Amino acid sequence: MPTPARILPAFLTDDAQWHAVQGRAAFCLRAFAAIGLALSCSFFFQLESPMSSVTTVMIVANPTVGALMAKSMWRVIGTLLGATIAVALMAVVAQSPVLYTMMLAVVVAFACLVATFLRLFRAYAAVLTGYTIVIVAGPSYADPDGIFLSAMARLSAVTVGIVATTVVFMVTSVRRPDRVMAQVGQMVRDVIAYAMDFHRFQFAGGRSPDVVTAEPVVLGGFRTLPLPLNDRRGTLLARISGLMASVEYAAADTYEIARRVNALRVGLSGLAGVVATYHPLWHDLENDAAPMRRLHERIAALMAEILDLTDGADWIETPEPVLAALGTALEDLAVAERAVQDGALLSAIDNMRDVLVQLDAVIRMVVAPSLPRRVRLRWFLDWPTALRNGARGGLIALLAGLLWYVLHWSAGPMLMLYVVAASSLVATTPSASRSSVMMAAGTTLSVPAGIACHMLALPRIDGFPLLWFSLCMFLAPGIWLQFSPRYGIGAFGYGVFFAAMLDVSNPIHYDDIALTNTWMAFVAAAALLVLGFRVILPPDDRLDAGRLVGSLSRALRRLALVLPVAPENWVVWEGLQIQKIWRLAMRLSVGVSPDERQAYTDAALGAVSLGRLVVRARRIAELPALNVADAEAMRAAVRGFDGLLRDPEATARGLVDAAQAILARAGEGAAGLEARRGAACLQQAAYILRAVPGFFHRHGPLQLSPEMPGAHRPLDRPVPVYTPLLGRVRRHVG
């Protein structure tokens, strides 16, 4: 007989799923209340298009009050800018439809480009700028003199929708800044727990202490981390990215978070850097000797102690015990370094000491009330993707405008409205081409829903309560699934454009021909969206991934040769590279095999660790206590990164030669200790380069077309030498 747990749905037996269902249900109820308030105010003020306020509710509604307020503010800014541009375009080219369409396509292309660059709620300013132009200008194509009144009507509807949504969500939401800080504190604990499990795996001799196996895992090779640790690493990086967005949203609403948002932003970026430090190359760099395993056991015990010290919810307010434990551990490692002669053990100690220094800096940033303004992250600007999205948006806007002009289609304004709006919206997503398909699918589903609403629900309505109930019933699927990772963009398209295609006025005038024309325009526009984003300018995820890999290598070369050694420069550099790795993981999810995807992700994380090693070597070379010959040897080895993209193995040989020369001269005292530390940094850097030369080489496997020989060559194999002009293979190395 089946147990009740098997009969009942999963969300009734799983606490996490039950809480998620409760959160979605609460969001739906608040969205329904905002729709009712916005629609009633629109009818009360006798606005020309009441459903525009409902569309605004669907766009700006967000479970987080800070996100809602920020989106609302940027929506108003985008609406004002779009209305201004619409009036200016109509005034300049009112008598030339083709020229108007061309100028509008340029504006839409620029809006899509900017929307790709901007993050989070700021992207809505570019989105609204694009399609507000069409919304404002649409009713005025037949009568250009009414463009100003159309702009005022649009601004009024947007304002009503924003005010209604803000009032409902602020009244029904409890703002708790301590919840965000608790999430940050828990994230720090999760990273520490990950580090503890990593070191336990190491001192267990390659066997997970929690899993009994008949044979130990052989240490060696590039992919040597156990699968659960790899999965947790990717999950942690994704969660840190999401938490950074939550902090941004909370800062828009809460003064306590806004005051320390820069410190939290930099701290979370550094936390991602700590996760990136634990890459598989540690296995191959070390040996299975007893001193090495005891070292890992000591660090694992330290991580367990820190977990105990951070067990309370308010540990961020009193971080002194945690910082004291880290300080004591750093002093112990410094003592151990002075007594160590083995090169591998010295490198391991140096690596672990750097991890503890990183962790100490991250905790100090997280608990700090603020940071100096000069320490500020920069956001990665993906120019190729932005230019491609801009070209897509401008091209399909031009095609839609010419289609309207040639066919003299009366539903042309609706066609333009959807194309411009959808292009701008999908440009804000990580993968616009994939999002365009989901957006088009959601829009296509909204057409039969709109037909059912017009034919079955609206004719039987005799008052506002029934109208409100009917709209909420049809909008419920889009609102419920709007924040689903898999169906979110499609549900968003369904809800927004279902509200946009309904012709609800007071009183309602039914025109079946006009409605059918509108529905056909939305279906044609959805097909045009997919055509532009998937067919005319299709995605090339492998090419995008190759560009990101090349960008990581060039950034590493610049860090070694150009960028001044300063703490704020390192924070900015590491944050930029972590953002590239997030994008790289997404691009590699399509078009490459799972083994290749994991290998490139590991190598990218190793590149971040390599950057830290380069910075440490440069800092040590500048120490006044260091021997002149050692300092010059270290600088010469770092200058070898000039040839990183041409011959990473030559760079590695220069690092090893310099490290051996420094170790041969290293004496006792502070100068000798720093010299050994510098040599350890050079040795670790050389090992990473030799482990994955194909990642750093400009002719690496990912830089080649999939059909070319060597396009799927393992990263640990040397890259053949090419002629400068023709690129032909002259000889093979190895």
Side-chain angles (χ1 to χ4, degrees):
M1 180 177 179
T3 61
R6 294 182 179 179
I7 297 175
L8 295 174
F11 70 89
L12 293 178
T13 58
D14 185 87
D15 290 339
Q17 292 190 30
W18 174 246
H19 288 306
V21 169
Q22 283 183 316
R24 287 192 181 187
F27 172 72
C28 288
L29 292 176
R30 288 185 287 174
F32 293 156
I35 289 171
L37 180 59
L39 197 59
S40 62
C41 290
S42 298
F43 283 132
F44 179 79
F45 295 125
Q46 299 183 10
L47 298 183
E48 181 180 350
S49 179
M51 287 303 295
S52 294
S53 61
V54 178
T55 305
T56 298
V57 173
M58 294 298 300
I59 292 178
V60 302
N62 194 287
T64 305
V65 177
L68 184 149
M69 295 179 63
K71 287 171 66 176
S72 300
M73 180 187 68
W74 288 99
R75 181 174 172 81
V76 170
I77 293 174
T79 301
L80 287 171
L81 186 58
T84 303
I85 296 175
V87 173
L89 285 178
M90 188 64 71
V92 174
V93 290
Q95 304 300 322
S96 180
V98 176
L99 183 59
Y100 175 86
T101 302
M102 295 173 62
M103 294 180 65
L104 179 61
V106 173
V107 174
V108 172
F110 185 73
C112 291
L113 185 147
V114 175
T116 306
F117 280 153
L118 297 179
R119 299 180 64 253
L120 305 175
F121 40 77
R122 298 175 183 86
Y124 280 90
V127 172
L128 266 297
T129 299
Y131 77 80
T132 297
I133 299 174
V134 182
I135 293 176
V136 169
S140 305
Y141 288 131
D143 181 18
D145 293 335
I147 183 68
F148 183 76
L149 293 178
S150 177
M152 293 299 101
R154 174 62 184 168
L155 185 60
S156 300
V158 169
T159 303
V160 168
I162 288 174
V163 172
T165 310
T166 303
V167 168
V168 170
F169 277 77
M170 290 192 68
V171 169
T172 58
S173 300
V174 179
R175 286 166 286 173
R176 295 178 56 186
D178 56 325
R179 179 179 300 175
V180 176
M181 294 307 301
Q183 292 176 345
V184 173
Q186 184 59 44
M187 183 59 66
V188 175
R189 285 176 48 81
D190 291 344
V191 171
I192 293 172
Y194 172 76
M196 179 184 68
D197 291 342
F198 183 95
H199 290 289
R200 282 181 173 176
F201 176 81
Q202 292 286 73
F203 80 73
R207 183 190 295 115
S208 175
D210 300 325
V211 179
V212 178
T213 57
E215 297 292 338
V217 179
V218 178
L219 297 181
F222 182 54
R223 295 283 299 114
T224 51
L225 275 185
L227 186 60
L229 283 178
N230 270 310
D231 292 342
R232 283 178 61 190
R233 183 188 62 190
T235 302
L236 283 173
L237 289 174
R239 287 177 55 202
I240 291 172
S241 176
L243 186 55
M244 292 181 73
S246 299
V247 168
E248 297 274 356
Y249 289 144
D253 176 55
T254 309
Y255 172 74
E256 291 82 357
I257 302 299
R259 183 169 56 92
R260 60 197 310 177
V261 63
N262 191 40
L264 292 175
R265 191 187 296 130
V266 175
L268 289 173
S269 178
L271 200 62
V274 173
V275 177
T277 303
Y278 287 95
H279 52 78
L281 297 182
W282 271 32
H283 284 301
D284 300 332
L285 184 62
E286 301 172 359
N287 53 47
D288 199 24
M292 191 80 73
R293 296 169 66 177
R294 285 197 299 270
L295 179 62
H296 283 291
E297 185 176 7
R298 182 190 306 178
I299 301 300
L302 171 65
M303 298 301 176
E305 179 186 355
I306 295 176
L307 284 177
D308 292 336
L309 293 174
T310 58
D311 195 20
D314 58 344
W315 74 268
I316 290 183
E317 305 301 326
T318 56
E320 289 78 12
V322 178
L323 297 175
L326 288 172
T328 302
L330 287 171
E331 293 175 359
D332 293 341
L333 287 179
V335 173
E337 274 184 311
R338 296 185 179 94
V340 169
Q341 299 299 325
D342 178 68
L345 186 58
L346 180 64
S347 296
I349 292 176
D350 179 76
N351 211 338
M352 294 180 192
R353 183 177 61 83
D354 183 63
V355 170
L356 298 185
V357 170
Q358 291 182 66
L359 194 57
D360 180 84
V362 165
I363 293 176
R364 292 181 186 276
M365 293 176 191
V366 168
V367 304
S370 62
L371 279 183
R373 293 188 62 86
R374 68 176 183 275
V375 183
R376 185 174 295 275
L377 292 182
R378 288 173 47 204
W379 304 115
F380 175 59
L381 302 180
D382 192 355
W383 277 100
T385 301
L387 291 172
R388 185 165 60 243
N389 285 340
R392 290 165 168 171
L395 180 60
I396 61 176
L398 181 62
L399 289 176
L402 294 178
L403 185 65
W404 173 25
Y405 177 74
V406 171
L407 299 180
H408 296 281
W409 194 359
S410 60
M414 298 303 296
L415 180 73
M416 293 289 294
L417 167 65
Y418 178 83
V419 164
V420 175
S423 299
S424 304
L425 286 168
V426 299
T428 64
T429 61
S431 178
S433 58
R434 276 173 266 178
S435 299
S436 66
V437 177
M438 295 298 296
M439 177 73 77
T443 305
T444 304
L445 289 176
S446 70
V447 171
I451 295 174
C453 183
H454 270 283
M455 300 182 70
L456 302 178
L458 294 184
R460 292 168 175 78
I461 289 173
D462 59 359
F464 180 78
L466 280 178
L467 175 62
W468 180 24
F469 175 79
S470 300
L471 290 179
C472 292
M473 181 179 65
F474 281 97
L475 288 171
I479 297 175
W480 182 267
L481 296 174
Q482 188 171 349
F483 293 94
S484 168
R486 185 174 182 180
Y487 304 108
I489 188 67
F492 184 80
Y494 169 87
V496 169
F497 295 108
F498 173 83
M501 71 176 60
L502 286 183
D503 185 16
V504 176
S505 57
N506 189 15
I508 297 178
H509 300 284
Y510 295 99
D511 188 341
D512 294 340
I513 299 300
L515 289 174
T516 303
N517 211 8
T518 298
W519 295 327
M520 291 177 61
F522 272 96
V523 173
L528 198 59
L529 178 72
V530 177
L531 180 68
F533 278 79
R534 296 285 293 184
V535 179
I536 298 178
L537 288 175
D540 191 338
D541 292 299
R542 182 183 176 91
L543 178 63
D544 291 337
R547 290 195 182 106
L548 290 170
V549 168
S551 178
L552 282 166
S553 301
R554 290 191 299 273
L556 182 60
R557 178 181 177 276
R558 180 173 179 269
L559 179 69
L561 302 175
V562 179
L563 198 65
V565 178
E568 56 268 22
N569 288 338
W570 165 253
V571 168
V572 172
W573 187 90
E574 185 184 48
L576 280 174
Q577 310 323 308
I578 293 295
Q579 293 176 57
K580 293 176 187 177
I581 293 174
W582 284 330
R583 289 178 176 267
L584 178 64
M586 183 198 67
R587 300 298 182 193
L588 291 174
S589 62
V590 178
V592 298
S593 66
D595 291 340
E596 283 183 294
R597 178 168 64 249
Q598 193 62 61
Y600 276 102
T601 303
D602 292 338
L605 296 174
V608 176
S609 295
L610 182 56
R612 183 173 288 276
L613 292 167
V614 168
V615 169
R616 282 156 56 195
R618 290 183 61 188
R619 288 176 179 170
I620 292 174
E622 300 300 326
L623 293 176
L626 195 66
N627 183 282
V628 176
D630 293 340
E632 183 54 36
M634 203 169 298
R635 294 192 191 98
V638 172
R639 286 196 297 270
F641 276 84
D642 185 41
L644 176 66
L645 306 182
R646 299 187 304 272
D647 192 353
E649 292 182 306
T651 303
R653 287 194 297 271
L655 294 172
V656 171
D657 293 342
Q660 292 176 349
I662 292 172
L663 289 175
R665 290 191 298 264
E668 301 297 330
L673 177 61
E674 294 298 341
R676 289 197 299 273
R677 285 177 174 174
C681 291
L682 299 182
Q683 287 177 329
Q684 294 177 72
Y687 189 86
I688 294 176
L689 290 176
R690 285 179 168 174
V692 284
F695 182 86
F696 299 102
H697 202 288
R698 62 183 178 184
H699 295 306
L702 203 60
Q703 314 297 334
L704 306 177
S705 174
E707 297 79 15
M708 294 180 64
H712 302 283
R713 182 190 302 109
L715 292 179
D716 57 353
R717 289 182 54 188
V719 177
V721 179
Y722 291 84
T723 62
L725 295 178
L726 302 178
R728 296 177 180 175
V729 178
R730 179 158 50 87
R731 63 182 177 84
H732 287 275
V733 180

